[in-house]
Amino acid sequence: MGHLATPMVASATVPDALTFAVSALAVLLGALGVVISRNPVHSALALVVTLFGVAVLFVEQQAHFLAAVQVIVYAGAIVVLFLFVIMLLGVDRRENIAAEPLKAQRPLAILLGLAVLAEVLVLARVQWVTGASSVAGIASGPGSNVSKLASSVFTTYLLPFEVTSVLLVIAVVGAVVLARRTPRGPAAKGEDARSAPGAGGDQARRGDPGEQDQSRQPEEEPVT
Amino acid sequence: MFMCIELMLNAANLTFVTFARALNDIGGQSLVFFVLVVAAAEVVVGLGIIVAIYRRRADTNADDFHILKG
């Protein structure tokens, strides 16, 4: 059942090395841009650069299907969702990154980053992997990457596949519940219908971010 | 802050794919597939939470959300 995983001998040609260098540079610069940018929209655009760099690296590692899925799902859907929420909430004001409420956060972050870097560099000298045999099947050889990945997902990893589909349903239901406005009771409904123009004015004064529909119940009062 | 989570997940994905090629094992790529799905679900729910919180208070700085503390 398990194949012996023979490591592939990678031949580094000049185009390979050049592609790796350019896309790795794109990934690093994009990641820096995400963290350093003051404007969240600039961060989202830098994230797109990072995701495209990672997709190119996926192609170089012979994971063609994952590169396409990465571009479509991550850069095409998730970043677009980020931008929707950024625009909806209007947080594209410039944040003051010098002010830090939790004082210990930055030194601790730098410390942990250095610790992880040291760990990676130390582990690079010792053995990377355990040498256990492969469970899912080999990645190289004849046949397309998509067919190998599909046969792996739909046979060996069928249970995680079904569980992730359930997870997606849960996520969709959760998003719908979170985005919904809770309707009020019948008594309040009568009051609000009578005072609808006033409620519309209240909403405009409160600066309600996304509410355009005047026919629905107005937003609940802020909790005191 | 959310985008940094995406950066970390991408770093893990890249590691998985690289080792899937180095060890000649397609299981690494399958795991990347599932990590991608989980990341997408997490982004959806997380942004829903942010929108729901932002309707209460006009602020999205994560360090001020200690009001959620019981």
Side-chain angles (χ1 to χ4, degrees):
Chain A
M1 189 64 172
H3 313 262
L4 183 60
T6 57
M8 286 182 56
V9 178
S11 54
T13 63
V14 172
D16 276 344
L18 202 60
T19 311
F20 171 72
V22 170
S23 44
L25 198 65
V27 167
L28 288 175
L29 289 180
L32 273 177
V34 169
V35 176
I36 289 178
S37 298
R38 294 179 175 264
N39 193 335
V41 179
H42 295 170
S43 293
L45 296 178
L47 185 65
V48 173
V49 171
T50 300
L51 295 172
F52 270 106
V54 172
V56 171
L57 286 173
F58 277 178
V59 170
E60 210 182 349
Q61 299 292 338
Q62 312 298 322
H64 310 291
F65 175 71
L66 284 174
V69 167
Q70 162 102 351
V71 170
I72 293 174
V73 170
Y74 252 121
I78 291 182
V79 171
V80 170
L81 196 59
F82 268 122
L83 283 172
F84 271 149
V85 171
I86 288 173
M87 298 300 184
L88 177 71
L89 302 184
V91 292
D92 53 337
R93 309 179 301 272
R94 299 181 159 232
E95 279 190 29
N96 183 13
I97 61 174
E100 183 70 56
L102 300 176
K103 294 290 180 220
Q105 230 179 32
R106 263 179 221 194
L108 199 61
I110 294 175
L111 197 65
L112 283 174
L114 287 177
V116 169
L117 184 65
E119 181 182 355
V120 167
L121 290 176
V122 162
L123 281 178
R125 312 234 170 240
V126 196
Q127 213 174 357
W128 273 115
V129 293
T130 60
S133 61
S134 153
V135 173
I138 57 174
S140 67
S144 68
N145 176 255
V146 177
S147 68
K148 291 199 187 71
L149 187 61
S151 64
S152 163
V153 166
F154 285 115
T155 55
T156 314
Y157 296 117
L158 186 60
L159 181 61
F161 175 72
E162 301 295 337
V163 169
T164 46
S165 64
V166 172
L167 175 72
L168 281 176
V169 171
I170 292 174
V172 168
V173 169
V176 167
V177 165
L178 282 171
R180 171 178 75 105
R181 311 233 176 184
T182 57
R184 289 204 186 165
K189 203 178 194 169
E191 276 181 29
D192 293 331
R194 267 184 275 118
S195 64
D202 275 337
Q203 282 185 11
R205 263 184 273 125
R206 266 205 300 257
D208 199 5
E211 180 63 55
Q212 302 292 333
D213 193 0
Q214 300 293 335
S215 61
R216 294 197 51 187
Q217 309 298 328
E219 194 179 8
E220 330 171 39
E221 303 300 315
V223 177
T224 52
Chain B
M1 189 199 71
F2 250 102
M3 301 188 221
C4 299
I5 297 179
E6 300 306 318
L7 286 180
M8 290 188 265
L9 286 170
N10 266 291
N13 282 352
L14 194 53
T15 310
F16 274 124
V17 164
T18 308
F19 276 102
R21 185 178 181 212
L23 300 175
N24 206 9
D25 186 2
I26 200 74
Q29 296 189 12
S30 319
L31 196 55
V32 170
F33 181 74
F34 293 127
V35 167
L36 207 60
V37 170
V38 169
E42 163 225 340
V43 164
V44 163
V45 173
L47 288 177
I49 290 177
I50 286 181
V51 167
I53 289 180
Y54 191 76
R55 283 182 184 158
R56 292 282 182 179
R57 36 180 295 140
D59 189 9
T60 50
N61 191 1
D63 294 330
D64 293 337
F65 284 155
H66 53 84
I67 54 171
L68 291 173
K69 201 154 58 167

